[in-house]
C-alpha cells in the first residue's frame, strides 16, 4: 500500500515546521483565479510511482466533466472538485521559498506549485484567505467506496478519451478496471517493460506524445516532443516531454494496458500504467488535434506492442 509520507515526498518547504501558511479558497472558480495569477511556478503532480514536473504558468484548471486541453507552454491541471479539500500557500522562513499545495479530503498533498518569481511571492500577501477549510462543511464520500465510483461507470464504458481519464481521476480507475470486461473499446494487457523502448523510439524519430500523471483528485498533463530519455539501474525511467519532466518507477508498475478510445482523430491508443493497488498512475497517448501523420505513426507503434 502507498503510505501518506510517500505521497508527500515532493512537498518541499511546505512540510517544514518553520513555515508560515495561508489557507486559501479551494473551490472553483476561486481556486482557478488564484492559480492563473501566478506567472512562473514549478508545478508537480504525482506520487511514488509516477511524477510530472513543469515550470511555467497555469492554464485555467478544469474540473472532471468539463472540456480539457493541453497547450504548449501552459501547465494543464485537471481536478476532482469533490475531493480537493484544502489549498495552502506556505513560505519557508529560512529559505524564503513559497509553494502552493492542494490537499485532498484525506490530507494528502495531490499537487504543488512552487512560486519561482519574486513577483509571484509578493502576490501571496494579496491572496484572499478563508477562515476555515477551503470548502463548505458537508458530508464527503470516500473515494474507495464502490457507490462513489459507480455513478461514472456508464460514462466511461461507451465514452471517449476524456471519459476514460475522468474515470481514473474519480477513484484512481479502480471501479473502471474492475469492470473493464464491459468496456466497448479495444483493450489488452501489455508488458510494462516496453515503456522505455517506446519513449526511446518516439524521441529518436521526433514523434510527439501526450503524458498524463495522476495523484488522488488531480491530473497534470503535458504534450510535445520527447527531447531526452534516461533510465537508472534501479528501474526509474525519465523523459523530457516538451517543457515537462516525467519520471516513472517501472519496478512499482504492476500492470500495463493498451486502451483505445475515441479522440479527435478517431480511435486513439493509450498506454496506461497501474500501481500495486490497481490505480492508474500515468497514461501515454495523443491529446487533442495532432497531424494525421502523427496519429497514424502512434497507432502503428502501439499496434506493434506485444501482449503481456
Amino acid at each position: 500500500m502507498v503510505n501518506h509520507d510517500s505521497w508527500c515526498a515532493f512537498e518541499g518547504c511546505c512540510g517544514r515546521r518553520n513555515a508560515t501558511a495561508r489557507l486559501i479558497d479551494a473551490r472553483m472558480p476561486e481556486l482557478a483565479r488564484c492559480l492563473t495569477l501566478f506567472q512562473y511556478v514549478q508545478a508537480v503532480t504525482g506520487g511514488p510511482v509516477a511524477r510530472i514536473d513543469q515550470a511555467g504558468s497555469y492554464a485555467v484548471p478544469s474540473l472532471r466533466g468539463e472540456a480539457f486541453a493541453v497547450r504548449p507552454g501552459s501547465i494543464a491541471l485537471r481536478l476532482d472538485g469533490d475531493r480537493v479539500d484544502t489549498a495552502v500557500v506556505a513560505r519557508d522562513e529560512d529559505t524564503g521559498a513559497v509553494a502552493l499545495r492542494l490537499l485532498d479530503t484525506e490530507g494528502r498533498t495531490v499537487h504543488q506549485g512552487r512560486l519561482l518569481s519574486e513577483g509571484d511571492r509578493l502576490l501571496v500577501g494579496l491572496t484572499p484567505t478563508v477562515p476555515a477549510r477551503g470548502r463548505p462543511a458537508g458530508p464527503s464520500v470516500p473515494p474507495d467506496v464502490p457507490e462513489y465510483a459507480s455513478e461514472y461507470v456508464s460514462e466511461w464504458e461507451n465514452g471517449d478519451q476524456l471519459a476514460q481519464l475522468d474515470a481514473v481521476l474519480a477513484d484512481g480507475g479502480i471501479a473502471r478496471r474492475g469492470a473493464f470486461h464491459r468496456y466497448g473499446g479495444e483493450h489488452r494487457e501489455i508488458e510494462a517493460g516496453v515503456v522505455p523502448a517506446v519513449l526511446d523510439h518516439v524521441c529518436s524519430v521526433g514523434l510527439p506524445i501526450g503524458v498524463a500523471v495522476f495523484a488522488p483528485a488531480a491530473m497534470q498533463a503535458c504534450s510535445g516532443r520527447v527531447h531526452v530519455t534516461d533510465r537508472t539501474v534501479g528501474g526509474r525511467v525519465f523523459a523530457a516531454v516538451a517543457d515537462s519532466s516525467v519520471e516513472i518507477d517501472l519496478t512499482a508498475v504492476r500492470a500495463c494496458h493498451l486502451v483505445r478510445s475515441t479522440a479527435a482523430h478517431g480511435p486513439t491508443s493509450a498506454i496506461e500504467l497501474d500501481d500495486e493497488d490497481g490505480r492508474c498512475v500515468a497514461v501515454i497517448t495523443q491529446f487533442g488535434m495532432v497531424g494525421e501523420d502523427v496519429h497514424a505513426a502512434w497507432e502503428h507503434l502501439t499496434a506493434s506492442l506485444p501482449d503481456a
Side-chain angles (χ1 to χ4, degrees), residues 36 52 58 61 67 75 82 88 118 150 161 226 236 282 289 302:
T36 54
I52 184 171
Y58 286 101
I75 298 164
D82 294 331
V88 178
E118 184 59 31
S150 63
Q161 181 189 68
V226 178
R236 302 192 78 87
M289 295 296 294
T302 55

Side-chain angles (χ1 to χ4, degrees), residues 121-140:
R121 290 191 285 269
L122 291 174
L123 273 175
V124 171
L126 304 176
T127 305
T129 58
V130 292
R133 297 181 73 83
R135 59 180 55 256
S140 60

